[in-house]
Amino acid sequence: MTPMLDAAETTRTPRRTAPPTWLVVALTCAGQFLVVLDVSVVNVALPSMRTGLGLSEQGLQWVVNAYAIAFAGFMLLGGRAGDLYGRKRMFLVGLGLFTLASAAGGLAQDDWQLLVARAVQGLGAAVLAPSTLTILTASVPEGAMGVPPARAEPRAWGRARAIGTWTAVGAGGGAAGGLVGGLLVETLSWRWVLLINVPVGAVVLCAAAWFLTEGRAGDGRRLDLPGALLVTAGLGTLAYGISQTEAEGWTAPATLLPLLAGPALLGAFLAVEARTASPLMPLGLLRIRSVSSANVSMFLCGSAMFCMWFFMTLYAQNVLGYTPLEAGLALVPSSLAVILGSKLAPRLMRPIGPRNVAALGTLVAVAGFAWQSTMTPDAPYLTAILVPGILMMLGAGLAATPLASLATSGAAPEEAGLVSGLVNTSRTMGGSLGLAVLSTLAASESAGSTTPQALTEGYALAFRVGAVVLAAGVVLMWVWLPRRAGERQGA
């Protein structure tokens, strides 16, 4: 049986030998870079998109949310599809869909065309992203970082080194988003924020099709497509209902219907997951205290921190009068602070424990959000963007690593990949709903006015509410998160 299982684990194309390890790392990292870059790169382009396509305030949030909701809703399904149908195949399908949707979005002539393209981009990213890591771990041999494991490949990478590079490239994609977006908008147009993916995606697609070898787990499980459709539709419908409250009021049918339908669809998702043989999200995992508490904490953190880039770029351009490039440059220090926090977290987790690091990081973010909520229409860069931005993103970096560590350490080894996907899904779903809520609050506070003072008051309210949400998250972490990693108590 063992040889048969080994053969099923990795099915290689007989026509070609395995590609060099460095090439596998480069191709998978390129795919991950595109996925993460597109989460943040559009933020700087939002004011230009609004002018070019006549987007409303609600439309602006959906440029971000259409991508995020599709990405979060189909991410677990994308990972399962790679196991069943082949990681290389899903890498190519996801990247091809992502590239075509980028072209459609860049050429959009109406707002609805742009929003549909962003949703399809998110679907492509959900298929592509899980495959980048699974291809990497399946193709790169174990070995000490920087130590050549064999003379046959003197420059071979150890798996830890390759995963570290993949992680750093992903963080770099998020950090580079504002700068790349600002540069493209200022020198070309907002359309190139999306169109730039087309030549890059085409090159990576051709190279991956030629050089990567196929592999799959072949465990015979089915795809839980109904679950993925229900959770995505439920999340999107609920977010739409929240966004309608500002324009239509709470009692209008256009608001009440999606506000009722969204939770109903999410309830149907839970019912499907409880009954299906191969659920997208096994509900039994949520009985483990570390898994449930870390995912709820990540959901709350994501609901506030995901929105930071959105409101900061709008504040910089609409109120302070920054150009797109200046806005991108202004957010570079806070982007780097995320990386710094992610690097510091493992060092702090050893002496003081992951729960304390997660709570400490969230407290730092609370301080940043509270500071940012004191913004004024004529504040200097140092106090308006630089210091509070660094605090918010340093805290985000410090909190994310221990929460992910607690979630995965409480699960069985064979469940670690699924739990990692749940953590990322919880963060992105929290961000989607948080953006809908905070954007609606900001628009309601500004009462339709576009004066710098009115816009500032709206953005400030969003940051105040974000600070309150994060403060509640700190309390939840202290009460619910386990003290040590690896605990499997009931929730």
Side-chain angles (χ1 to χ4, degrees), residues 205-232:
L205 192 66
C206 292
W210 181 258
F211 290 109
L212 292 183
T213 53
E214 188 58 278
R216 70 192 70 182
D219 58 6
R221 294 178 295 177
R222 294 181 178 179
L223 283 177
D224 182 18
L225 183 59
L229 291 174
L230 284 170
V231 71
T232 305

Side-chain angles (χ1 to χ4, degrees), residues 351-380:
I352 68 174
R355 184 185 72 169
N356 292 336
V357 176
L360 173 64
T362 309
L363 277 175
V364 172
V366 169
F369 271 77
W371 186 328
Q372 191 65 58
S373 70
T374 64
M375 63 175 68
T376 62
D378 55 356

Side-chain angles (χ1 to χ4, degrees), residues 225-264:
L225 183 59
L229 291 174
L230 284 170
V231 71
T232 305
L235 185 66
T237 303
L238 180 59
Y240 176 75
I242 293 170
S243 68
Q244 285 291 96
T245 58
E246 192 272 329
E248 303 289 341
W250 286 93
T251 58
T255 301
L256 285 176
L257 185 60
L259 284 179
L260 294 174

Side-chain angles (χ1 to χ4, degrees), residues 215-432:
R216 70 192 70 182
D219 58 6
R221 294 178 295 177
R222 294 181 178 179
L223 283 177
D224 182 18
L225 183 59
L229 291 174
L230 284 170
V231 71
T232 305
L235 185 66
T237 303
L238 180 59
Y240 176 75
I242 293 170
S243 68
Q244 285 291 96
T245 58
E246 192 272 329
E248 303 289 341
W250 286 93
T251 58
T255 301
L256 285 176
L257 185 60
L259 284 179
L260 294 174
L265 289 169
L266 294 175
F269 163 72
L270 294 177
V272 167
E273 298 307 282
R275 297 171 63 88
T276 187
S278 300
L280 191 66
M281 186 183 74
L283 300 182
L285 283 176
L286 299 181
R287 299 191 185 99
I288 303 171
R289 176 182 173 185
S290 59
V291 174
S292 55
S293 60
N295 274 277
V296 173
S297 299
M298 191 67 85
F299 182 92
L300 288 176
C301 288
S303 67
M305 294 174 181
F306 182 84
C307 306
M308 176 265 189
W309 307 110
F310 180 84
F311 290 110
M312 290 288 274
T313 52
L314 292 180
Y315 172 59
Q317 294 184 69
N318 293 341
V319 176
L320 299 181
Y322 289 15
T323 66
L325 181 56
E326 288 171 342
L329 288 170
L331 293 175
V332 167
S334 29
S335 300
L336 297 176
V338 178
I339 301 174
L340 176 61
S342 300
K343 295 293 184 182
L344 285 176
R347 297 176 182 271
L348 294 175
M349 285 165 60
R350 294 189 200 84
I352 68 174
R355 184 185 72 169
N356 292 336
V357 176
L360 173 64
T362 309
L363 277 175
V364 172
V366 169
F369 271 77
W371 186 328
Q372 191 65 58
S373 70
T374 64
M375 63 175 68
T376 62
D378 55 356
Y381 169 69
L382 180 66
T383 57
I385 291 180
L386 180 63
V387 177
I390 288 175
L391 288 174
M392 285 186 280
M393 290 299 100
L394 179 64
L398 283 171
T401 301
L403 288 176
S405 175
L406 284 169
T408 54
S409 66
E414 63 272 15
E415 298 168 340
L418 175 60
V419 172
S420 296
L422 282 177
V423 169
N424 289 324
T425 301
S426 297
R427 176 172 52 196
T428 309
M429 285 186 172
S432 301

Side-chain angles (χ1 to χ4, degrees), residues 3-364:
M4 293 177 65
L5 290 174
D6 291 341
E9 176 65 28
T10 305
T11 305
R12 298 194 178 278
T13 305
R15 293 179 297 141
R16 276 189 289 277
T17 59
T21 303
W22 66 265
L23 185 57
V24 175
V25 174
L27 291 173
T28 54
C29 285
Q32 177 69 0
F33 182 84
L34 287 174
V35 167
V36 178
L37 181 74
D38 257 62
V39 176
S40 60
V41 72
V42 299
N43 285 316
V44 174
L46 289 174
S48 300
M49 289 178 174
R50 179 176 186 175
T51 301
L53 295 179
L55 287 164
S56 64
E57 286 292 332
Q58 291 182 6
L60 285 183
Q61 81 172 54
W62 281 100
V63 172
V64 178
N65 249 357
Y67 182 93
I69 290 174
F71 186 31
F74 288 97
M75 191 187 307
L76 295 177
L77 187 76
R80 182 69 56 82
D83 290 338
L84 294 180
Y85 304 125
R87 284 91 182 241
K88 174 184 174 180
R89 182 175 299 165
M90 290 300 103
F91 183 97
L92 297 176
V93 169
L95 182 56
L97 196 60
F98 181 90
T99 304
L100 289 174
S102 297
L107 298 174
Q109 300 301 309
D110 293 302
D111 52 358
W112 68 267
Q113 294 173 353
L114 176 61
L115 299 183
V116 170
R118 287 288 288 168
V120 178
Q121 259 193 315
L123 175 60
V127 175
L128 171 63
S131 298
T132 62
L133 185 57
T134 51
I135 289 173
L136 190 72
T137 54
S139 303
V140 179
E142 295 279 5
M145 291 171 53
V147 178
R151 292 182 61 187
E153 194 175 355
R155 300 179 65 86
W157 291 52
R159 184 174 296 170
R161 182 184 174 194
I163 293 175
T165 302
W166 179 88
T167 303
V169 167
L179 181 58
V180 172
L183 187 62
L184 290 171
V185 172
E186 193 142 324
T187 57
L188 297 170
S189 79
W190 67 263
R191 297 183 181 277
W192 280 96
V193 169
L194 299 172
L195 291 177
I196 192 65
N197 294 329
V198 177
V200 176
V203 170
V204 176
L205 192 66
C206 292
W210 181 258
F211 290 109
L212 292 183
T213 53
E214 188 58 278
R216 70 192 70 182
D219 58 6
R221 294 178 295 177
R222 294 181 178 179
L223 283 177
D224 182 18
L225 183 59
L229 291 174
L230 284 170
V231 71
T232 305
L235 185 66
T237 303
L238 180 59
Y240 176 75
I242 293 170
S243 68
Q244 285 291 96
T245 58
E246 192 272 329
E248 303 289 341
W250 286 93
T251 58
T255 301
L256 285 176
L257 185 60
L259 284 179
L260 294 174
L265 289 169
L266 294 175
F269 163 72
L270 294 177
V272 167
E273 298 307 282
R275 297 171 63 88
T276 187
S278 300
L280 191 66
M281 186 183 74
L283 300 182
L285 283 176
L286 299 181
R287 299 191 185 99
I288 303 171
R289 176 182 173 185
S290 59
V291 174
S292 55
S293 60
N295 274 277
V296 173
S297 299
M298 191 67 85
F299 182 92
L300 288 176
C301 288
S303 67
M305 294 174 181
F306 182 84
C307 306
M308 176 265 189
W309 307 110
F310 180 84
F311 290 110
M312 290 288 274
T313 52
L314 292 180
Y315 172 59
Q317 294 184 69
N318 293 341
V319 176
L320 299 181
Y322 289 15
T323 66
L325 181 56
E326 288 171 342
L329 288 170
L331 293 175
V332 167
S334 29
S335 300
L336 297 176
V338 178
I339 301 174
L340 176 61
S342 300
K343 295 293 184 182
L344 285 176
R347 297 176 182 271
L348 294 175
M349 285 165 60
R350 294 189 200 84
I352 68 174
R355 184 185 72 169
N356 292 336
V357 176
L360 173 64
T362 309
L363 277 175
V364 172

